[in-house]
Amino acid sequence: TRMDPTNNLWAGIVMFVAGLFGVCSNGLAIFTVYKCRHLHNSFGFLCLSHCAANFGVCFTFAAWCAPTTIWQNAVLTSTVEGKRVGQINFLFWNATVYSHLSISINRFICITFPLKAKRVFTPRIIGVFFCVPWAIALCHITPYFWVNDCFVFYEPTTWVWTFTEGPCVLYISTYFDFYTSMTVFVLMTTFDLSTALKLRLMNNKNASLTGSREMHAKRKMETRFFIQAICQSSTFGFEILCFYVICTFAHTQWEIFFSTSFAWVACHATDGLIMCLFHSGRLCENVKRNSLAPTTTSVISE
């Protein structure tokens, strides 16, 4: 059943607002990595990659899904251009998935092997961790270059992303989408639980030991990074839960929309917000310091 214009309008507005919020939150998160020196490390650069992919997903929803939903331009979305938008959106989506795993591995190494981590994460290795998620994401969207046989596009009449019919759907939606997402989530959870256990053991062991202030500060920062990663992993877990569990109980179009399309863009928008919340204090300090620096110089020169 086709929705009336009022419902289409509200669905488009919801997607636009969520997408715009995600563009702003992830854009600010990218700016935070650039401005904050404590993020000029392996963790910060991996977060930069992750937020860039989040930005792409949110921009797609705000600039493509929302307008086509409001105007109900189904012809436009099923053209080659519409299929290319779907291909690019799934590139960003898969990049976020594997970026989550890269961040989990990074936290595991930095906290489990703190003395070796600096030697492990050389600029070259950081580059590998940065590029590999995007390379795998490119592999995921390779079948979509056959636009007439294998593609995914946004369907404005149903407010969801749709795979083409045929054998391609079985392989892509099952093996390239479901199995890989679940595998990455299991690996992430394994690394995160191992890291949490290591942190617990370290805290118990070091409770009665003393150390330098610098050592305690570094351990506190690494722990804070891990908590941030856990919060972002939780949004990914919720997204997977919506895609493969909650949406199966949805019956109305609005229920399907909120458990699929909206959950998709909202989780990526929340990712950027989490990044900003964890580092907003440092960002404000840096911005304030930079704004005061010229004034201080001018006073001294006078």
PDB file of all heavy atoms in Angstrom, residues 104-117 120-121 190-202 205 219 222-223 226:
ATOM      1  N   SER A 104      38.801  -2.052  17.631  1.00  0.00           N
ATOM      2  CA  SER A 104      38.811  -3.065  18.695  1.00  0.00           C
ATOM      3  C   SER A 104      40.171  -3.753  18.795  1.00  0.00           C
ATOM      4  O   SER A 104      40.688  -3.971  19.899  1.00  0.00           O
ATOM      5  CB  SER A 104      37.717  -4.111  18.440  1.00  0.00           C
ATOM      6  OG  SER A 104      36.436  -3.557  18.591  1.00  0.00           O
ATOM      7  N   ILE A 105      40.762  -4.068  17.641  1.00  0.00           N
ATOM      8  CA  ILE A 105      42.090  -4.690  17.641  1.00  0.00           C
ATOM      9  C   ILE A 105      43.128  -3.721  18.189  1.00  0.00           C
ATOM     10  O   ILE A 105      44.011  -4.098  18.971  1.00  0.00           O
ATOM     11  CB  ILE A 105      42.469  -5.142  16.211  1.00  0.00           C
ATOM     12  CG1 ILE A 105      41.518  -6.242  15.733  1.00  0.00           C
ATOM     13  CG2 ILE A 105      43.906  -5.640  16.166  1.00  0.00           C
ATOM     14  CD1 ILE A 105      41.705  -6.630  14.279  1.00  0.00           C
ATOM     15  N   ASN A 106      43.010  -2.467  17.809  1.00  0.00           N
ATOM     16  CA  ASN A 106      43.930  -1.438  18.304  1.00  0.00           C
ATOM     17  C   ASN A 106      43.866  -1.315  19.821  1.00  0.00           C
ATOM     18  O   ASN A 106      44.905  -1.255  20.505  1.00  0.00           O
ATOM     19  CB  ASN A 106      43.591  -0.103  17.645  1.00  0.00           C
ATOM     20  CG  ASN A 106      44.356   1.062  18.248  1.00  0.00           C
ATOM     21  OD1 ASN A 106      43.843   1.738  19.152  1.00  0.00           O
ATOM     22  ND2 ASN A 106      45.553   1.302  17.764  1.00  0.00           N
ATOM     23  N   ARG A 107      42.671  -1.297  20.367  1.00  0.00           N
ATOM     24  CA  ARG A 107      42.524  -1.188  21.834  1.00  0.00           C
ATOM     25  C   ARG A 107      43.084  -2.430  22.520  1.00  0.00           C
ATOM     26  O   ARG A 107      43.708  -2.341  23.584  1.00  0.00           O
ATOM     27  CB  ARG A 107      41.041  -1.014  22.195  1.00  0.00           C
ATOM     28  CG  ARG A 107      40.418   0.302  21.828  1.00  0.00           C
ATOM     29  CD  ARG A 107      41.083   1.483  22.518  1.00  0.00           C
ATOM     30  NE  ARG A 107      42.292   1.904  21.813  1.00  0.00           N
ATOM     31  CZ  ARG A 107      43.353   2.437  22.386  1.00  0.00           C
ATOM     32  NH1 ARG A 107      43.392   2.587  23.695  1.00  0.00           N
ATOM     33  NH2 ARG A 107      44.402   2.811  21.678  1.00  0.00           N
ATOM     34  N   PHE A 108      42.858  -3.588  21.925  1.00  0.00           N
ATOM     35  CA  PHE A 108      43.353  -4.836  22.510  1.00  0.00           C
ATOM     36  C   PHE A 108      44.881  -4.822  22.597  1.00  0.00           C
ATOM     37  O   PHE A 108      45.465  -5.160  23.630  1.00  0.00           O
ATOM     38  CB  PHE A 108      42.878  -6.020  21.666  1.00  0.00           C
ATOM     39  CG  PHE A 108      43.447  -7.340  22.097  1.00  0.00           C
ATOM     40  CD1 PHE A 108      42.965  -7.998  23.220  1.00  0.00           C
ATOM     41  CD2 PHE A 108      44.487  -7.929  21.376  1.00  0.00           C
ATOM     42  CE1 PHE A 108      43.493  -9.218  23.618  1.00  0.00           C
ATOM     43  CE2 PHE A 108      45.029  -9.142  21.766  1.00  0.00           C
ATOM     44  CZ  PHE A 108      44.531  -9.793  22.895  1.00  0.00           C
ATOM     45  N   ILE A 109      45.528  -4.411  21.517  1.00  0.00           N
ATOM     46  CA  ILE A 109      46.992  -4.396  21.499  1.00  0.00           C
ATOM     47  C   ILE A 109      47.548  -3.342  22.448  1.00  0.00           C
ATOM     48  O   ILE A 109      48.477  -3.608  23.222  1.00  0.00           O
ATOM     49  CB  ILE A 109      47.502  -4.161  20.064  1.00  0.00           C
ATOM     50  CG1 ILE A 109      47.127  -5.343  19.170  1.00  0.00           C
ATOM     51  CG2 ILE A 109      49.013  -3.939  20.052  1.00  0.00           C
ATOM     52  CD1 ILE A 109      47.468  -5.138  17.706  1.00  0.00           C
ATOM     53  N   CYS A 110      46.973  -2.139  22.417  1.00  0.00           N
ATOM     54  CA  CYS A 110      47.496  -1.042  23.243  1.00  0.00           C
ATOM     55  C   CYS A 110      47.336  -1.298  24.740  1.00  0.00           C
ATOM     56  O   CYS A 110      48.173  -0.876  25.533  1.00  0.00           O
ATOM     57  CB  CYS A 110      46.807   0.266  22.871  1.00  0.00           C
ATOM     58  SG  CYS A 110      47.298   0.911  21.254  1.00  0.00           S
ATOM     59  N   ILE A 111      46.280  -1.979  25.124  1.00  0.00           N
ATOM     60  CA  ILE A 111      46.043  -2.221  26.551  1.00  0.00           C
ATOM     61  C   ILE A 111      46.660  -3.532  27.012  1.00  0.00           C
ATOM     62  O   ILE A 111      47.181  -3.631  28.124  1.00  0.00           O
ATOM     63  CB  ILE A 111      44.524  -2.183  26.833  1.00  0.00           C
ATOM     64  CG1 ILE A 111      44.018  -0.745  26.676  1.00  0.00           C
ATOM     65  CG2 ILE A 111      44.204  -2.706  28.231  1.00  0.00           C
ATOM     66  CD1 ILE A 111      42.526  -0.582  26.828  1.00  0.00           C
ATOM     67  N   THR A 112      46.655  -4.542  26.166  1.00  0.00           N
ATOM     68  CA  THR A 112      47.224  -5.841  26.547  1.00  0.00           C
ATOM     69  C   THR A 112      48.748  -5.830  26.481  1.00  0.00           C
ATOM     70  O   THR A 112      49.417  -6.436  27.318  1.00  0.00           O
ATOM     71  CB  THR A 112      46.677  -6.950  25.635  1.00  0.00           C
ATOM     72  OG1 THR A 112      45.241  -6.910  25.652  1.00  0.00           O
ATOM     73  CG2 THR A 112      47.136  -8.322  26.117  1.00  0.00           C
ATOM     74  N   PHE A 113      49.284  -5.125  25.488  1.00  0.00           N
ATOM     75  CA  PHE A 113      50.747  -5.048  25.330  1.00  0.00           C
ATOM     76  C   PHE A 113      51.191  -3.583  25.291  1.00  0.00           C
ATOM     77  O   PHE A 113      51.634  -3.086  24.245  1.00  0.00           O
ATOM     78  CB  PHE A 113      51.183  -5.759  24.042  1.00  0.00           C
ATOM     79  CG  PHE A 113      50.629  -7.142  23.895  1.00  0.00           C
ATOM     80  CD1 PHE A 113      49.584  -7.397  23.018  1.00  0.00           C
ATOM     81  CD2 PHE A 113      51.147  -8.198  24.639  1.00  0.00           C
ATOM     82  CE1 PHE A 113      49.062  -8.672  22.872  1.00  0.00           C
ATOM     83  CE2 PHE A 113      50.626  -9.478  24.502  1.00  0.00           C
ATOM     84  CZ  PHE A 113      49.577  -9.719  23.623  1.00  0.00           C
ATOM     85  N   PRO A 114      51.046  -2.868  26.405  1.00  0.00           N
ATOM     86  CA  PRO A 114      51.313  -1.421  26.400  1.00  0.00           C
ATOM     87  C   PRO A 114      52.741  -1.051  26.031  1.00  0.00           C
ATOM     88  O   PRO A 114      52.972  -0.015  25.397  1.00  0.00           O
ATOM     89  CB  PRO A 114      50.975  -0.998  27.836  1.00  0.00           C
ATOM     90  CG  PRO A 114      51.086  -2.246  28.648  1.00  0.00           C
ATOM     91  CD  PRO A 114      50.671  -3.352  27.739  1.00  0.00           C
ATOM     92  N   LEU A 115      53.704  -1.869  26.420  1.00  0.00           N
ATOM     93  CA  LEU A 115      55.101  -1.553  26.136  1.00  0.00           C
ATOM     94  C   LEU A 115      55.452  -1.796  24.671  1.00  0.00           C
ATOM     95  O   LEU A 115      56.322  -1.130  24.107  1.00  0.00           O
ATOM     96  CB  LEU A 115      56.035  -2.367  27.042  1.00  0.00           C
ATOM     97  CG  LEU A 115      55.870  -2.118  28.550  1.00  0.00           C
ATOM     98  CD1 LEU A 115      56.825  -3.003  29.334  1.00  0.00           C
ATOM     99  CD2 LEU A 115      56.113  -0.641  28.874  1.00  0.00           C
ATOM    100  N   LYS A 116      54.800  -2.752  24.056  1.00  0.00           N
ATOM    101  CA  LYS A 116      55.093  -3.094  22.657  1.00  0.00           C
ATOM    102  C   LYS A 116      54.235  -2.300  21.669  1.00  0.00           C
ATOM    103  O   LYS A 116      54.542  -2.257  20.475  1.00  0.00           O
ATOM    104  CB  LYS A 116      54.873  -4.586  22.422  1.00  0.00           C
ATOM    105  CG  LYS A 116      55.787  -5.488  23.248  1.00  0.00           C
ATOM    106  CD  LYS A 116      55.488  -6.957  22.940  1.00  0.00           C
ATOM    107  CE  LYS A 116      56.390  -7.878  23.761  1.00  0.00           C
ATOM    108  NZ  LYS A 116      56.094  -9.305  23.505  1.00  0.00           N
ATOM    109  N   ALA A 117      53.160  -1.703  22.165  1.00  0.00           N
ATOM    110  CA  ALA A 117      52.199  -1.052  21.266  1.00  0.00           C
ATOM    111  C   ALA A 117      52.837   0.057  20.442  1.00  0.00           C
ATOM    112  O   ALA A 117      52.544   0.211  19.255  1.00  0.00           O
ATOM    113  CB  ALA A 117      51.034  -0.495  22.076  1.00  0.00           C
ATOM    114  N   VAL A 120      54.685  -1.449  17.711  1.00  0.00           N
ATOM    115  CA  VAL A 120      53.795  -2.107  16.737  1.00  0.00           C
ATOM    116  C   VAL A 120      53.149  -1.080  15.823  1.00  0.00           C
ATOM    117  O   VAL A 120      53.149  -1.229  14.590  1.00  0.00           O
ATOM    118  CB  VAL A 120      52.715  -2.928  17.470  1.00  0.00           C
ATOM    119  CG1 VAL A 120      51.649  -3.412  16.481  1.00  0.00           C
ATOM    120  CG2 VAL A 120      53.336  -4.104  18.189  1.00  0.00           C
ATOM    121  N   PHE A 121      52.593  -0.019  16.408  1.00  0.00           N
ATOM    122  CA  PHE A 121      51.836   0.954  15.624  1.00  0.00           C
ATOM    123  C   PHE A 121      52.751   2.054  15.089  1.00  0.00           C
ATOM    124  O   PHE A 121      52.671   3.214  15.489  1.00  0.00           O
ATOM    125  CB  PHE A 121      50.677   1.529  16.449  1.00  0.00           C
ATOM    126  CG  PHE A 121      49.554   0.566  16.626  1.00  0.00           C
ATOM    127  CD1 PHE A 121      49.341  -0.067  17.844  1.00  0.00           C
ATOM    128  CD2 PHE A 121      48.713   0.248  15.573  1.00  0.00           C
ATOM    129  CE1 PHE A 121      48.307  -0.978  18.012  1.00  0.00           C
ATOM    130  CE2 PHE A 121      47.673  -0.656  15.720  1.00  0.00           C
ATOM    131  CZ  PHE A 121      47.479  -1.275  16.940  1.00  0.00           C
ATOM    132  N   THR A 190      34.772 -10.386  20.933  1.00  0.00           N
ATOM    133  CA  THR A 190      35.851 -11.184  21.511  1.00  0.00           C
ATOM    134  C   THR A 190      37.021 -10.309  21.922  1.00  0.00           C
ATOM    135  O   THR A 190      37.551 -10.428  23.042  1.00  0.00           O
ATOM    136  CB  THR A 190      36.331 -12.246  20.501  1.00  0.00           C
ATOM    137  OG1 THR A 190      35.232 -13.081  20.140  1.00  0.00           O
ATOM    138  CG2 THR A 190      37.436 -13.101  21.104  1.00  0.00           C
ATOM    139  N   PHE A 191      37.442  -9.411  21.024  1.00  0.00           N
ATOM    140  CA  PHE A 191      38.550  -8.502  21.347  1.00  0.00           C
ATOM    141  C   PHE A 191      38.184  -7.571  22.504  1.00  0.00           C
ATOM    142  O   PHE A 191      39.002  -7.327  23.400  1.00  0.00           O
ATOM    143  CB  PHE A 191      38.943  -7.692  20.114  1.00  0.00           C
ATOM    144  CG  PHE A 191      39.830  -8.426  19.159  1.00  0.00           C
ATOM    145  CD1 PHE A 191      39.380  -8.795  17.902  1.00  0.00           C
ATOM    146  CD2 PHE A 191      41.137  -8.747  19.511  1.00  0.00           C
ATOM    147  CE1 PHE A 191      40.202  -9.475  17.018  1.00  0.00           C
ATOM    148  CE2 PHE A 191      41.978  -9.432  18.632  1.00  0.00           C
ATOM    149  CZ  PHE A 191      41.499  -9.797  17.384  1.00  0.00           C
ATOM    150  N   ASP A 192      36.956  -7.055  22.482  1.00  0.00           N
ATOM    151  CA  ASP A 192      36.536  -6.112  23.539  1.00  0.00           C
ATOM    152  C   ASP A 192      36.459  -6.793  24.901  1.00  0.00           C
ATOM    153  O   ASP A 192      36.868  -6.218  25.919  1.00  0.00           O
ATOM    154  CB  ASP A 192      35.186  -5.492  23.189  1.00  0.00           C
ATOM    155  CG  ASP A 192      35.278  -4.520  22.018  1.00  0.00           C
ATOM    156  OD1 ASP A 192      36.407  -4.076  21.713  1.00  0.00           O
ATOM    157  OD2 ASP A 192      34.238  -4.211  21.413  1.00  0.00           O
ATOM    158  N   LEU A 193      35.927  -8.008  24.934  1.00  0.00           N
ATOM    159  CA  LEU A 193      35.855  -8.742  26.207  1.00  0.00           C
ATOM    160  C   LEU A 193      37.255  -9.084  26.716  1.00  0.00           C
ATOM    161  O   LEU A 193      37.522  -8.998  27.930  1.00  0.00           O
ATOM    162  CB  LEU A 193      35.026 -10.012  26.032  1.00  0.00           C
ATOM    163  CG  LEU A 193      33.512  -9.818  25.842  1.00  0.00           C
ATOM    164  CD1 LEU A 193      32.829 -11.153  25.587  1.00  0.00           C
ATOM    165  CD2 LEU A 193      32.903  -9.141  27.072  1.00  0.00           C
ATOM    166  N   SER A 194      38.144  -9.458  25.808  1.00  0.00           N
ATOM    167  CA  SER A 194      39.527  -9.758  26.204  1.00  0.00           C
ATOM    168  C   SER A 194      40.212  -8.512  26.751  1.00  0.00           C
ATOM    169  O   SER A 194      40.944  -8.578  27.751  1.00  0.00           O
ATOM    170  CB  SER A 194      40.307 -10.301  25.006  1.00  0.00           C
ATOM    171  OG  SER A 194      39.715 -11.478  24.514  1.00  0.00           O
ATOM    172  N   THR A 195      39.966  -7.376  26.118  1.00  0.00           N
ATOM    173  CA  THR A 195      40.550  -6.120  26.583  1.00  0.00           C
ATOM    174  C   THR A 195      39.990  -5.733  27.943  1.00  0.00           C
ATOM    175  O   THR A 195      40.728  -5.287  28.829  1.00  0.00           O
ATOM    176  CB  THR A 195      40.279  -4.992  25.573  1.00  0.00           C
ATOM    177  OG1 THR A 195      40.743  -5.397  24.287  1.00  0.00           O
ATOM    178  CG2 THR A 195      40.982  -3.717  25.983  1.00  0.00           C
ATOM    179  N   ALA A 196      38.677  -5.899  28.118  1.00  0.00           N
ATOM    180  CA  ALA A 196      38.055  -5.578  29.404  1.00  0.00           C
ATOM    181  C   ALA A 196      38.613  -6.463  30.518  1.00  0.00           C
ATOM    182  O   ALA A 196      38.868  -5.995  31.635  1.00  0.00           O
ATOM    183  CB  ALA A 196      36.539  -5.749  29.301  1.00  0.00           C
ATOM    184  N   LEU A 197      38.810  -7.742  30.225  1.00  0.00           N
ATOM    185  CA  LEU A 197      39.386  -8.656  31.209  1.00  0.00           C
ATOM    186  C   LEU A 197      40.802  -8.235  31.570  1.00  0.00           C
ATOM    187  O   LEU A 197      41.190  -8.245  32.748  1.00  0.00           O
ATOM    188  CB  LEU A 197      39.376 -10.083  30.659  1.00  0.00           C
ATOM    189  CG  LEU A 197      39.985 -11.172  31.557  1.00  0.00           C
ATOM    190  CD1 LEU A 197      39.228 -11.255  32.877  1.00  0.00           C
ATOM    191  CD2 LEU A 197      39.984 -12.517  30.850  1.00  0.00           C
ATOM    192  N   LYS A 198      41.582  -7.857  30.568  1.00  0.00           N
ATOM    193  CA  LYS A 198      42.953  -7.402  30.809  1.00  0.00           C
ATOM    194  C   LYS A 198      42.967  -6.143  31.671  1.00  0.00           C
ATOM    195  O   LYS A 198      43.790  -6.005  32.591  1.00  0.00           O
ATOM    196  CB  LYS A 198      43.651  -7.146  29.481  1.00  0.00           C
ATOM    197  CG  LYS A 198      45.088  -6.662  29.609  1.00  0.00           C
ATOM    198  CD  LYS A 198      45.973  -7.701  30.264  1.00  0.00           C
ATOM    199  CE  LYS A 198      47.419  -7.243  30.320  1.00  0.00           C
ATOM    200  NZ  LYS A 198      48.299  -8.256  30.959  1.00  0.00           N
ATOM    201  N   LEU A 199      42.065  -5.226  31.394  1.00  0.00           N
ATOM    202  CA  LEU A 199      41.970  -4.009  32.203  1.00  0.00           C
ATOM    203  C   LEU A 199      41.635  -4.325  33.648  1.00  0.00           C
ATOM    204  O   LEU A 199      42.196  -3.744  34.583  1.00  0.00           O
ATOM    205  CB  LEU A 199      40.893  -3.080  31.622  1.00  0.00           C
ATOM    206  CG  LEU A 199      41.327  -2.074  30.558  1.00  0.00           C
ATOM    207  CD1 LEU A 199      40.112  -1.321  30.046  1.00  0.00           C
ATOM    208  CD2 LEU A 199      42.367  -1.116  31.118  1.00  0.00           C
ATOM    209  N   ARG A 200      40.725  -5.253  33.830  1.00  0.00           N
ATOM    210  CA  ARG A 200      40.336  -5.663  35.180  1.00  0.00           C
ATOM    211  C   ARG A 200      41.527  -6.240  35.939  1.00  0.00           C
ATOM    212  O   ARG A 200      41.773  -5.901  37.095  1.00  0.00           O
ATOM    213  CB  ARG A 200      39.216  -6.699  35.086  1.00  0.00           C
ATOM    214  CG  ARG A 200      38.763  -7.282  36.400  1.00  0.00           C
ATOM    215  CD  ARG A 200      37.860  -6.337  37.138  1.00  0.00           C
ATOM    216  NE  ARG A 200      37.399  -6.914  38.387  1.00  0.00           N
ATOM    217  CZ  ARG A 200      36.459  -6.381  39.150  1.00  0.00           C
ATOM    218  NH1 ARG A 200      35.885  -5.252  38.766  1.00  0.00           N
ATOM    219  NH2 ARG A 200      36.093  -6.944  40.270  1.00  0.00           N
ATOM    220  N   LEU A 201      42.267  -7.109  35.277  1.00  0.00           N
ATOM    221  CA  LEU A 201      43.431  -7.722  35.909  1.00  0.00           C
ATOM    222  C   LEU A 201      44.509  -6.688  36.204  1.00  0.00           C
ATOM    223  O   LEU A 201      45.151  -6.728  37.258  1.00  0.00           O
ATOM    224  CB  LEU A 201      43.993  -8.823  35.006  1.00  0.00           C
ATOM    225  CG  LEU A 201      43.093 -10.046  34.783  1.00  0.00           C
ATOM    226  CD1 LEU A 201      43.708 -10.990  33.761  1.00  0.00           C
ATOM    227  CD2 LEU A 201      42.847 -10.777  36.110  1.00  0.00           C
ATOM    228  N   MET A 202      44.689  -5.746  35.290  1.00  0.00           N
ATOM    229  CA  MET A 202      45.679  -4.696  35.496  1.00  0.00           C
ATOM    230  C   MET A 202      45.318  -3.801  36.659  1.00  0.00           C
ATOM    231  O   MET A 202      46.172  -3.440  37.475  1.00  0.00           O
ATOM    232  CB  MET A 202      45.821  -3.860  34.222  1.00  0.00           C
ATOM    233  CG  MET A 202      46.555  -4.547  33.088  1.00  0.00           C
ATOM    234  SD  MET A 202      46.494  -3.591  31.545  1.00  0.00           S
ATOM    235  CE  MET A 202      47.246  -2.050  32.067  1.00  0.00           C
ATOM    236  N   LYS A 205      45.950  -5.674  39.874  1.00  0.00           N
ATOM    237  CA  LYS A 205      47.368  -5.860  40.113  1.00  0.00           C
ATOM    238  C   LYS A 205      48.049  -4.559  40.515  1.00  0.00           C
ATOM    239  O   LYS A 205      48.936  -4.541  41.374  1.00  0.00           O
ATOM    240  CB  LYS A 205      48.033  -6.417  38.850  1.00  0.00           C
ATOM    241  CG  LYS A 205      49.522  -6.685  38.998  1.00  0.00           C
ATOM    242  CD  LYS A 205      50.091  -7.262  37.707  1.00  0.00           C
ATOM    243  CE  LYS A 205      51.591  -7.511  37.844  1.00  0.00           C
ATOM    244  NZ  LYS A 205      52.160  -8.080  36.587  1.00  0.00           N
ATOM    245  N   ARG A 219      47.641   5.443  31.229  1.00  0.00           N
ATOM    246  CA  ARG A 219      46.726   4.330  31.440  1.00  0.00           C
ATOM    247  C   ARG A 219      45.278   4.829  31.478  1.00  0.00           C
ATOM    248  O   ARG A 219      44.367   4.199  30.941  1.00  0.00           O
ATOM    249  CB  ARG A 219      47.081   3.608  32.739  1.00  0.00           C
ATOM    250  CG  ARG A 219      46.297   2.313  32.949  1.00  0.00           C
ATOM    251  CD  ARG A 219      46.695   1.659  34.259  1.00  0.00           C
ATOM    252  NE  ARG A 219      48.112   1.372  34.275  1.00  0.00           N
ATOM    253  CZ  ARG A 219      48.912   1.638  35.312  1.00  0.00           C
ATOM    254  NH1 ARG A 219      48.429   2.216  36.385  1.00  0.00           N
ATOM    255  NH2 ARG A 219      50.202   1.346  35.260  1.00  0.00           N
ATOM    256  N   GLU A 222      44.199   5.608  27.870  1.00  0.00           N
ATOM    257  CA  GLU A 222      43.936   4.387  27.100  1.00  0.00           C
ATOM    258  C   GLU A 222      42.618   3.752  27.530  1.00  0.00           C
ATOM    259  O   GLU A 222      41.866   3.233  26.703  1.00  0.00           O
ATOM    260  CB  GLU A 222      45.088   3.392  27.280  1.00  0.00           C
ATOM    261  CG  GLU A 222      46.429   3.848  26.735  1.00  0.00           C
ATOM    262  CD  GLU A 222      46.462   3.894  25.221  1.00  0.00           C
ATOM    263  OE1 GLU A 222      45.486   3.473  24.579  1.00  0.00           O
ATOM    264  OE2 GLU A 222      47.470   4.372  24.673  1.00  0.00           O
ATOM    265  N   THR A 223      42.334   3.790  28.828  1.00  0.00           N
ATOM    266  CA  THR A 223      41.070   3.250  29.332  1.00  0.00           C
ATOM    267  C   THR A 223      39.891   4.055  28.812  1.00  0.00           C
ATOM    268  O   THR A 223      38.856   3.499  28.431  1.00  0.00           O
ATOM    269  CB  THR A 223      41.058   3.245  30.868  1.00  0.00           C
ATOM    270  OG1 THR A 223      42.172   2.498  31.347  1.00  0.00           O
ATOM    271  CG2 THR A 223      39.763   2.643  31.401  1.00  0.00           C
ATOM    272  N   PHE A 226      39.187   3.133  25.342  1.00  0.00           N
ATOM    273  CA  PHE A 226      38.513   1.830  25.272  1.00  0.00           C
ATOM    274  C   PHE A 226      37.018   1.972  25.577  1.00  0.00           C
ATOM    275  O   PHE A 226      36.184   1.361  24.907  1.00  0.00           O
ATOM    276  CB  PHE A 226      39.160   0.856  26.254  1.00  0.00           C
ATOM    277  CG  PHE A 226      38.442  -0.460  26.362  1.00  0.00           C
ATOM    278  CD1 PHE A 226      38.368  -1.327  25.286  1.00  0.00           C
ATOM    279  CD2 PHE A 226      37.823  -0.828  27.549  1.00  0.00           C
ATOM    280  CE1 PHE A 226      37.692  -2.531  25.372  1.00  0.00           C
ATOM    281  CE2 PHE A 226      37.151  -2.028  27.653  1.00  0.00           C
ATOM    282  CZ  PHE A 226      37.080  -2.886  26.559  1.00  0.00           C
TER     283      PHE A 226
END
